[in-house]
Amino acid sequence: MAELLPPLSLYIHTPWCVRKCPYCDFNSHEPSTDELPEAAYLNALLSDFEGDLSLANEREIQTIFIGGGTPSLLSPAFYDRLFKEIRRRLPFSSTIEITLEANPGTTEQQRFIGYREAGINRLSLGVQSFRPEQLSALGRIHSGQEAVNAVHQAREAGFDNLNIDLMHGLPKQTPAQAMEDIDQALALEPEHLSWYQLTLEPNTAFFSHPPVLPEEEALWDIQEAGHQRLEQAGLRRYEISAYAQPGQQSRHNINYWQFGDYLGIGAGAHGKLTTVDSQGKRHIERRWKTRQPEAYLRRSNDPRGFVAGKQPIATQELPLEFAMNALRLTDGVTMEVWAAHTGLPHSVLLARLQSAYEKGLLMEMPEKLRASSQGLLFLNELLTLISDE
C-alpha cells in the first residue's frame, strides 16, 4: 500500500506565544499561566498521533515541521521525548528534515544546543525586519540585534540549515528600507530565506485597525528590486515567497506544494491524507484538530476526540486543489504528474490553458504546467482560468 501513496510528512503545532502579533491570523494564544503545561501537552500530542497512526499506512516520516505560535517556548527536553516517542510508533527516514520555528526573542545558546541534540536539524527564525520602528509596528518582542545574535548562536550550536523569515510592505516602509532588511539578512548568509508581503488578514488587529501601508507603486518596486537582490546573492526563487541556496529548499514545504501527505497534530493543526481503495483509486481527505489549547488538552484520554472536522476532496475539486499547490513552485509540474493527481485528461486541461497562455500567465511549455513571472504575481487569476468548467 505504501508504494501507492505520496510521501508522508508531519506537522506539529505549538499554540502559545508570548504576545499575539497584530498581523497574525495563526492559531496562537498568550498563555494563561507563567509556566506552559509541557507534560500535559506532550501526552496530548502523543495521544493525538496515536489516533492518526493508521492513516500513515506504515510510511516513513520524511519531514517534520514544528510551527506556531512560538515552538521555541518549549524546552529541548520536550522535543527530545516527543521525537523518541513518535519514532517508537512510526519510523523516521534516515534523511529526515526536522524544522523548528523560533522567535529571536525567546532563544539563547543552551536552548539551541539542546534543540540540535534532540534531533532538530533546521531552524526557521521569525525575524520579519531588523529595523526597530518596523519591529515595534509589528508587535515583535525582539530587536534587530537580538535577531543577529540568534543567528550566530544557532551557528555556534551546529545548525547549518537556517531559514530567515522576512516581511516586506510593512507600515510606512520605503523601498530603500526594505532593501536594507534584505541586505542585513543576506549578510548573515542563510541557506534559505522566506520573503513575503504583509497582508491584512481577517480576525487580526491590523484588519480591524489598518496601519498605513506603502502605496501600490512602492510595493511593486520593492517586489522587483528584492527579487533581483536575492537572486544576485545566489538564492534561487523556487516558490512564490521562498528563496534558497542550491540544494537547501525546504523539503517539508515542497511536499506540501507537490501535493504530498502530512499528518497534523497539536491544537488547530491541519492534515491531508490519501487512501487507496481496492480498485486502486485515490481518495484524499483534509482534517483539522481542536483549536483552543485548553479544549485540546481535555481530549488527551480519547485519541479520536482531537479531530474537529474532516473534508474529503471531491473529484471535481482536485484540479483546483492541486493547482493551488503545484503552481506555487517556479519549476511547475509535468502534464503527466498533473493528470495522475487530478484525473483530468490532457485534452481538457489544454483547452482550459489557452486563455492563460494568451494572458501571459503560463510559460509556453506544452509538456509542463508552469506559471510565468506574471502568473506568480497573479496566481488567483491563473487558478480561476484553470479551474473553470
Side-chain angles (χ1 to χ4, degrees), residues 3 14 38 59 66 69 174 231 235 243 249 257 266 276 331:
E3 64 272 12
T14 303
E38 283 201 0
R59 284 173 287 177
I66 308 148
T174 66
E231 294 255 332
L235 294 175
Y243 295 75
Q249 297 89 342
W257 310 140
V276 179
D331 283 344

Side-chain angles (χ1 to χ4, degrees), residues 145-183:
Q145 187 57 52
E146 284 175 324
V148 173
N149 293 343
V151 172
H152 294 320
Q153 290 167 351
R155 295 301 195 195
E156 290 170 7
F159 283 97
D160 57 5
N161 194 353
L162 181 70
N163 170 63
I164 289 178
D165 259 7
L166 204 62
M167 299 174 73
H168 62 88
L170 305 180
K172 300 181 181 179
Q173 185 181 51
T174 66
Q177 290 171 344
M179 293 308 101
E180 287 175 12
D181 270 346
I182 285 182
D183 288 341

Side-chain angles (χ1 to χ4, degrees), residues 360-378:
L361 301 178
L362 283 177
M363 302 287 286
E364 293 191 16
M365 297 175 62
E367 76 284 356
K368 201 172 191 181
L369 189 63
R370 180 184 173 200
S372 65
S373 56
Q374 190 80 351
L376 291 172
L377 288 172
F378 297 100

